[in-house]
């Protein structure tokens, strides 16, 4: 499908994989640009905040298990815990070389002490780090090694932790334009999760496996009080939404807009049900879906959806309101409502400047210049 109808500037929020780095707002200007492009910078940030705080449950549980034994542990275990803490802090600070050294030392100690959870956690972080540094082949080997350790430890392939790691690989293949591997990865994740969601709805709580206990431990650490069945159900549905969101972005990047819309609509439905109408991620998905509808030439549908997102973003004081308002201005530009586009671009510019988002400022100014060009034609 042609995308020549898309002439303006669309703003997209960006975020990806799992070390809990801050979610970043990104902007695109190309007519074939798509929502929240996959970028190496954002591996380490798999939407823990955006998709409800349950992402990377296995990593959180593994690390929290280590922390819980910190006071009583001695010798190598104490040293290993300290190294993992230092590695995590170094990643958060962007000190990647230091983080790599700490992780290599930690994984050596983990193997010496035969601490399976520490091995899995350390390898996963090494994989994330290699990806961030652009070492794609090395990252792939480490992701696969982590998954092998998971399976060797008795983890079933439908465990949310294993599926999440599979999703990381699929997203990495998508970024590398390895279409067959990416599609296979996304299909595995989605098919497995859909079956699991159905099973969770039908299986009594008493028959559930040890995965529930892992999730309950995490919720207790986080101070939550949901019952076991609800914890696992919600975590699984949110992971399903995250998979749909990731595949939608990939499909949009390959110009398969119809399929991308279908995935976005399903992801948005899950997010609304589990997170609420005004949740930040709900609004981001509404904006992304509006962007794709706009690319399809469905400008009226796109405008109605982005207006709703902007209104909800105002009432909830969305941290990326300038992104939502800027997207609305771009869609108004495409519908020929140039004066309205200027008004909303102006508001988006003020909000972006207040937020200190210089990338957004530049893109919004480019949008304003496109409005001027259209007026002069």
């Amino acid at each position: 499908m042609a995308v020549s109808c898309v002439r303006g500037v669309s703003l997209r929020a960006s975020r990806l994989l799992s070390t809990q780095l801050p979610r970043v707002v990104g902007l695109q200007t190309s007519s074939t640009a798509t929502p929240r492009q996959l970028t190496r910078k954002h591996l380490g940030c798999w939407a823990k905040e955006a998709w409800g705080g349950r992402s990377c449950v296995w990593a959180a549980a593994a690390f929290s298990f280590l922390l819980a034994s910190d006071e009583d542990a001695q010798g190598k275990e104490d040293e290993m815990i300290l190294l993992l803490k230092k590695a995590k802090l170094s990643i958060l600070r962007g000190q990647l070389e230091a983080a790599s050294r700490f992780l290599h030392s930690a994984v050596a100690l983990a193997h010496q002490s035969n601490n399976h959870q520490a091995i899995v956690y350390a390898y996963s972080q090494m994989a994330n780090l290699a990806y961030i540094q652009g070492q794609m082949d090395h990252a792939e080997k480490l992701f696969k090694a982590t998954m092998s350790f998971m399976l060797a430890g008795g983890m079933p392939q439908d465990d949310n932790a294993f599926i999440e790691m599979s999703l990381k690989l699929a997203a990495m293949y998508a970024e590398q334009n390895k279409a067959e591997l990416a599609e296979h990865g996304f299909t595995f994740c989605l098919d497995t999760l859909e079956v699991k969601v159905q099973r969770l709805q039908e299986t009594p709580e008493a028959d559930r496996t040890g995965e529930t206990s892992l999730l309950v431990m995490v919720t207790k650490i986080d101070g939550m009080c949901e019952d076991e069945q609800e914890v696992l159900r919600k975590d699984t549905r949110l992971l399903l939404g995250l998979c749909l969101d990731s595949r939608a972005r990939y499909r949009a990047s390959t110009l398969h807009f119809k399929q991308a819309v279908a995935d976005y609509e399903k992801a948005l439905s899950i997010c609304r049900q589990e997170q609420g109408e005004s949740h930040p991620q709900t609004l981001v998905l509404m904006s992304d879906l509006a962007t794709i509808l706009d690319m399809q030439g469905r400008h009226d549908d796109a405008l109605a959806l982005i207006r709703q997102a902007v209104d909800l973003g105002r009432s909830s004081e969305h941290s990326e309101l300038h992104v939502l308002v800027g997207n609305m201005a771009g869609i108004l530009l495409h519908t020929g409502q140039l004066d309205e586009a200027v008004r909303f671009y102006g508001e988006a510019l003020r909000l972006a400047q207040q937020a200190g988002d210089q990338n957004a400022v530049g893109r919004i100014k480019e949008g304003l210049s496109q409005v001027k060009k259209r007026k002069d034609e």
Side-chain angles (χ1 to χ4, degrees):
M1 176 176 179
V3 292
S4 59
C5 59
V6 182
R7 297 181 295 275
V9 179
S10 293
L11 291 71
R12 285 98 185 184
S14 301
R15 60 128 178 85
L16 198 64
L17 308 175
S18 106
T19 318
Q20 292 125 40
L21 301 181
R23 193 158 64 88
V24 182
V25 176
L27 305 169
Q28 308 289 340
T29 56
S30 168
S31 63
T32 57
T34 56
R36 293 173 299 141
Q37 296 286 348
L38 308 181
T39 58
R40 228 174 273 123
K41 182 177 180 180
H42 306 128
L43 182 84
C45 177
W46 192 304
K48 184 174 189 292
E49 298 85 357
W51 279 96
R54 298 269 175 67
S55 198
C56 252
V57 166
W58 64 269
F63 195 60
S64 297
F65 175 84
L66 292 171
L67 294 178
S69 63
D70 193 331
E71 294 180 356
D72 300 325
Q74 300 295 320
K76 290 182 179 179
E77 186 172 317
D78 284 338
E79 185 179 354
M80 178 175 58
I81 293 169
L82 181 60
L83 287 167
L84 289 172
K85 287 180 178 179
K86 287 181 177 179
K88 184 175 182 179
L89 182 60
S90 296
I91 292 172
L92 291 171
R93 291 175 172 173
Q95 300 168 349
L96 304 186
E97 293 299 327
S100 180
R101 291 195 298 271
F102 292 136
L103 286 171
H104 277 85
S105 297
V107 80
L109 288 174
H111 278 293
Q112 290 175 22
S113 59
N114 199 29
N115 189 320
H116 183 77
Q117 287 181 312
I119 290 171
V120 171
Y121 180 84
Y123 267 92
S124 71
Q125 298 308 298
M126 289 169 68
N128 287 346
L129 195 57
Y131 183 86
I132 293 170
Q133 293 174 312
Q135 302 167 2
M136 306 300 281
D137 290 341
H138 188 45
E140 180 181 359
K141 291 176 182 177
L142 287 168
F143 279 133
K144 289 181 176 178
T146 304
M147 295 167 73
S148 294
F149 282 119
M150 288 176 169
L151 295 176
M155 180 180 289
Q157 288 193 17
D158 70 346
D159 190 285
N160 288 357
F162 188 86
I163 296 170
E164 186 175 334
M165 186 64 68
S166 300
L167 181 56
K168 291 185 180 186
L169 273 174
M172 186 177 74
Y173 291 140
E175 184 181 347
Q176 294 177 295
N177 295 317
K178 296 180 178 180
E180 185 175 352
L181 290 172
E183 288 289 354
H184 178 78
F186 287 129
T187 299
F188 165 76
C189 294
L190 288 165
D191 288 351
T192 304
L193 284 170
E194 286 170 354
V195 170
K196 185 174 181 178
V197 167
Q198 183 65 32
R199 188 178 73 247
L200 288 173
Q201 293 174 345
E202 299 172 351
T203 305
E205 180 181 349
D207 295 338
R208 301 186 191 280
T209 65
E211 183 180 8
T212 305
S213 298
L214 178 63
L215 291 166
V216 170
M217 180 174 69
V218 175
T219 58
K220 288 180 179 178
I221 291 168
D222 290 340
M224 303 178 196
C225 57
E226 295 173 276
D227 60 42
E228 295 185 9
Q229 181 174 349
E230 176 62 13
V231 168
L232 184 56
R233 183 204 65 78
K234 185 170 184 177
D235 179 78
T236 304
R237 288 206 78 215
L238 288 173
L239 185 54
L240 175 59
L242 181 58
C243 290
L244 288 162
D245 179 10
S246 185
R247 189 174 70 172
R249 280 179 281 133
Y250 170 62
R251 285 178 161 179
S253 72
T254 57
L255 307 185
H256 291 87
F257 295 136
K258 184 176 180 180
Q259 294 93 327
V261 166
D263 281 347
Y264 271 129
E265 288 176 340
K266 292 177 183 177
L268 178 57
S269 176
I270 289 172
C271 199
R272 279 172 166 159
Q273 292 169 15
E274 300 297 340
Q275 309 280 59
E277 186 74 18
S278 298
H279 189 275
Q281 180 62 13
T282 302
L283 303 187
V284 167
L285 287 170
M286 291 170 70
S287 179
D288 284 355
L289 177 55
T291 298
I292 301 304
L293 293 172
D294 189 43
M295 287 180 171
Q296 287 185 301
R298 298 168 58 183
H299 304 308
D300 291 340
D301 292 338
L303 189 56
L305 189 59
I306 195 63
R307 281 190 190 278
Q308 184 183 6
V310 168
D311 289 343
L312 290 169
R314 292 190 202 282
S315 61
S316 63
E317 298 183 348
H318 196 289
S319 62
E320 295 168 3
L321 181 59
H322 62 285
V323 173
L324 304 179
V325 174
N327 275 347
M328 183 169 173
I331 294 171
L332 286 166
L333 169 59
H334 304 154
T335 63
Q337 301 178 56
L338 303 185
D339 290 338
E340 282 290 278
V342 169
R343 183 166 71 86
F344 281 98
Y345 269 134
E347 179 185 353
L349 181 59
R350 291 191 299 274
L351 291 170
Q353 289 171 335
Q354 292 172 7
D357 189 342
Q358 295 305 312
N359 189 29
V361 168
R363 301 303 188 186
I364 292 166
K365 287 181 178 179
E366 184 178 340
L368 284 167
S369 69
Q370 291 190 28
V371 175
K372 185 178 184 301
K373 183 178 179 181
R374 286 283 299 274
K375 286 187 171 184
D376 292 340
E377 289 176 352

